């Protein structure tokens, strides 16, 4: 057979996190007691009131196609949420609902990127951003941040990467994988630079509810009228409402860009699942206690994980203020030999940890964080304690070994 794949699909690297999740499932099926700290989803079930709303929607026959951009009641609920929580005034025509934040994020890039356009990605960042940019023919421009700045990007570093071809900056606070919650100062500087150099801002705010220790999530769209108009705000239900499987996310932005995303989505997928949309209305309008309880539990687990890490020589981390991840610095382990294998990078570290300590973590490389691995604390306190005991043992053994 001589048929070939397209350049776009041939060049895509499949999501590392999803691949690792699949490996964990396989090892568990073989009977191994793997502790999964790799997952990017809450371990809680969707709150009962949301599930009940979905059941009601099905019983009431809400099982047909809907408007491509979503049912009016959900788009209105999103407008109400954005006004109440962030003070952002939007109308329904500023909102599109799609199959997870992932889909609307991709559509946002599709709507604004022409081949060769550059998208600035402050890093470390979620591994899909660069791939999505490439899938649109765009060029990801990585701007590294520093651990000593708590992984907040430096505006001078960003400004240095702006060119004639810069079409957008894609930011994410609270951040995956660093857990950093960016300050108002940084957001304001980015908004001002975007205005001065005239490029779009895509702001992925999917972890908006997950902030700890008195930290506050601020949307860059609130910085000024100009910032709101040039920001495509992305969020969704997966993390805040433990609804990863429902596939429900949204974008808010200028009517022209939302209309373009709507046109694209109308041919690519159409509306997202009608039942999930009715559930989404309940998520936003119904009681919020379950979200608060979940965030409280994440806060406690975060403390627990941090206190364990502080006791393990050879690894360090900054205190994450949001999301549910810790980015662990494993640089001191690199170059050492374990079970006859040289730990050449974070990928090998993660592999050996899975094989010999039965703990799955995500290597930092695909997040533009080489020398780090990402740990998720979306697991029970009991499992965190056991995972950290195993990691302590593993790192202790690694540190006893000489460098290669
Ligand atoms: C930063 C970030 N944005 C977007 C998403 C995708 O969310 P959704 O499940 O709504 O597609 C994720 C999921 O892991 C994420 O970490």
């Amino acid at each position: 057979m001589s048929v070939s794949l397209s350049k776009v699909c041939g060049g895509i690297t499949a999501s590392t996190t999803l691949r690792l999740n699949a490996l964990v499932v396989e090892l568990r099926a073989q009977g191994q007691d793997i502790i999964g700290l790799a997952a990017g989803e809450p371990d809680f079930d969707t709150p009962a009131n949301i599930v009940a709303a979905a059941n009601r929607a099905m019983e009431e026959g809400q099982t047909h196609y809907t408007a491509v951009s979503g049912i009016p009641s959900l788009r209105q609920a999103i407008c109400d949420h954005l006004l109440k929580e962030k003070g952002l005034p939007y109308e329904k025509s500023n909102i599109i609902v799609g199959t997870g934040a992932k889909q609307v994020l991709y559509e946002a890039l599709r709507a604004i990127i022409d081949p060769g356009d550059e998208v600035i990605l402050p890093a470390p960042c979620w591994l899909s951003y660069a791939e999505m940019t490439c899938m649109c023919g765009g060029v990801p421009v990585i701007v590294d941040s520093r651990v000593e700045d708590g992984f907040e990007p430096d505006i001078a570093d960003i400004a240095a990467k702006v060119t004639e071809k810069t079409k957008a900056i894609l930011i994410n606070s609270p951040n995956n994988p660093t857990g950093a919650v960016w300050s108002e100062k940084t957001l304001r500087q980015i908004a001002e630079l975007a205005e001065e150099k005239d490029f779009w801002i895509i702001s992925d705010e999917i972890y908006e509810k997950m902030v700890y220790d008195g930290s506050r999530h601020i949307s860059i769209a609130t910085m000024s009228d100009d910032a709101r108009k040039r920001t495509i705000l992305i969020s969704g239900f997966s993390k805040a409402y433990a609804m990863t499987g429902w596939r429900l996310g949204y974008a808010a932005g200028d009517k022209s860009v939302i209309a373009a995303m709507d046109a694209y989505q109308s041919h690519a997928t159409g509306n997202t699942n009608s039942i999930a949309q009715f559930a989404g209305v309940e998520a936003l309008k119904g009681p919020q206690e379950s979200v608060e309880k979940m965030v409280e539990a994440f806060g406690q687990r975060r403390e627990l994980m941090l206190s364990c890490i502080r006791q393990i020589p050879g690894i360090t981390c900054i205190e994450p203020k949001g999301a549910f991840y810790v980015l662990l610095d494993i640089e001191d382990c690199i170059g050492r030999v374990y079970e006859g294998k040289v730990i050449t990078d974070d990928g090998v570290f993660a592999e050996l940890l899975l094989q010999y300590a039965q703990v799955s973590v995500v290597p930092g490389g695909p997040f533009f964080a080489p020398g780090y691995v990402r740990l998720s604390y979306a697991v029970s306190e009991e499992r965190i304690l056991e995972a950290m005991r195993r990691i302590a043992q593993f790192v202790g053994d690694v540190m006893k070994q000489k460098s290669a």
Side-chain angles (χ1 to χ4, degrees):
M1 200 169 84
S2 62
V3 283
S4 61
L5 296 176
S6 70
K7 287 195 182 70
V8 164
C9 280
I12 298 172
T13 312
S15 162
T16 312
T17 33
L18 297 185
R19 191 167 47 77
L20 271 165
N21 289 351
L23 184 61
V24 169
V25 170
E26 198 183 308
L27 291 174
R28 281 194 182 129
Q30 291 168 13
Q32 293 197 35
D33 172 29
I34 306 290
I35 305 182
L37 301 186
E41 64 173 334
D43 55 325
F44 294 90
D45 289 329
T46 305
N49 61 311
I50 299 175
V51 174
N55 279 328
R56 258 193 327 274
M58 279 190 282
E59 279 157 15
E60 289 168 4
Q62 304 288 7
T63 52
H64 301 270
Y65 288 135
T66 72
V68 170
S69 57
I71 55 174
S73 57
L74 178 55
R75 280 182 289 142
Q76 186 57 53
I78 292 166
C79 292
D80 296 347
H81 163 80
L82 291 170
L83 185 63
K84 181 167 166 255
E85 302 268 321
K86 312 191 191 202
L88 289 168
Y90 289 111
E91 294 170 9
K92 289 201 285 294
S93 51
N94 294 114
I95 308 292
I96 183 165
V97 174
T99 307
K102 210 170 209 174
Q103 186 191 18
V104 286
L105 190 50
Y106 179 63
E107 287 171 359
L109 288 164
R110 275 251 85 112
I112 61 173
I113 298 301
D114 282 317
D117 284 347
E118 294 175 355
V119 179
I120 294 181
L121 302 179
C125 64
W126 189 40
L127 37 77
S128 291
Y129 297 157
E131 294 292 345
M132 283 184 186
T133 302
C134 294
M135 283 157 68
C136 296
V139 180
V141 177
I142 306 301
V143 179
D144 290 319
S145 58
R146 298 174 187 82
V147 65
E148 52 277 22
D149 295 336
F151 289 121
E152 276 205 41
D154 185 315
I155 195 67
D157 294 340
I158 295 175
K161 293 286 177 87
V162 175
T163 72
E164 292 283 289
K165 292 188 175 161
T166 303
K167 197 63 181 283
I169 186 167
L170 203 175
I171 66 170
N172 173 223
S173 172
N175 184 273
N176 175 11
T178 66
V181 179
W182 297 2
S183 65
E184 181 167 352
K185 181 177 165 219
T186 298
L187 296 170
R188 189 168 300 286
Q189 288 172 331
I190 293 172
E192 284 169 3
L193 184 68
E195 182 173 1
E196 185 196 329
K197 302 288 184 184
D198 197 19
F199 53 78
W200 290 95
I201 300 168
I202 303 178
S203 179
D204 180 351
E205 302 181 8
I206 189 90
Y207 293 100
E208 61 187 82
K209 292 272 185 196
M210 276 105 194
V211 284
Y212 317 103
D213 231 8
S215 287
R216 201 163 63 89
H217 157 70
I218 301 170
S219 173
I220 193 166
T222 62
M223 292 299 113
S224 63
D225 258 7
D226 177 85
R228 177 166 45 81
K229 285 181 195 136
R230 67 176 65 247
T231 297
I232 309 173
L233 188 159
I234 308 287
S235 196
F237 298 76
S238 288
K239 316 290 176 178
Y241 297 99
M243 291 177 72
T244 45
W246 300 69
R247 310 310 302 127
L248 195 63
Y250 62 86
D254 186 73
K255 285 176 191 174
S256 62
V257 82
I258 297 297
M261 292 166 68
D262 184 305
Y264 185 91
Q265 184 169 303
S266 73
H267 294 295
T269 57
N271 64 270
T272 191
N273 180 308
S274 61
I275 300 146
Q277 292 188 55
F278 283 90
V281 175
E282 172 64 20
L284 290 176
K285 293 279 180 197
Q288 301 295 306
E289 281 81 20
S290 41
V291 182
E292 285 153 21
K293 274 201 192 124
M294 186 168 71
V295 175
E296 203 182 307
F298 283 146
Q300 283 162 6
R301 294 163 177 193
R302 167 185 165 278
E303 292 290 336
L304 182 66
M305 190 174 264
L306 287 174
S307 71
C308 294
I309 291 169
R310 285 187 198 112
Q311 291 166 34
I312 306 176
I315 53 175
T316 56
C317 68
I318 61 151
E319 260 193 33
K321 299 288 185 194
F324 38 72
Y325 308 109
V326 173
L327 195 61
L328 199 62
D329 183 339
I330 53 128
E331 195 65 51
D332 281 355
C333 299
I334 290 178
R336 293 176 192 269
V337 182
Y338 186 81
E339 292 288 335
K341 197 162 179 187
V342 185
I343 303 177
T344 48
D345 58 23
D346 43 87
V348 175
F349 178 95
E351 235 172 75
L352 293 172
L353 187 69
L354 181 58
Q355 191 179 348
Y356 292 101
Q358 279 84 42
V359 178
S360 80
V361 298
V362 187
F367 295 89
F368 305 100
Y372 291 85
V373 292
R374 190 194 74 178
L375 274 51
S376 158
Y377 46 86
V379 290
S380 71
E381 294 194 6
E382 190 196 351
R383 296 297 271 173
I384 289 175
L385 278 174
E386 174 58 15
M388 297 317 293
R389 191 193 61 74
R390 293 183 193 181
I391 290 175
Q393 171 90 51
F394 176 81
V395 172
D397 290 347
V398 167
M399 295 303 284
K400 278 187 218 143
Q401 309 297 315
K402 288 206 173 52
S403 294

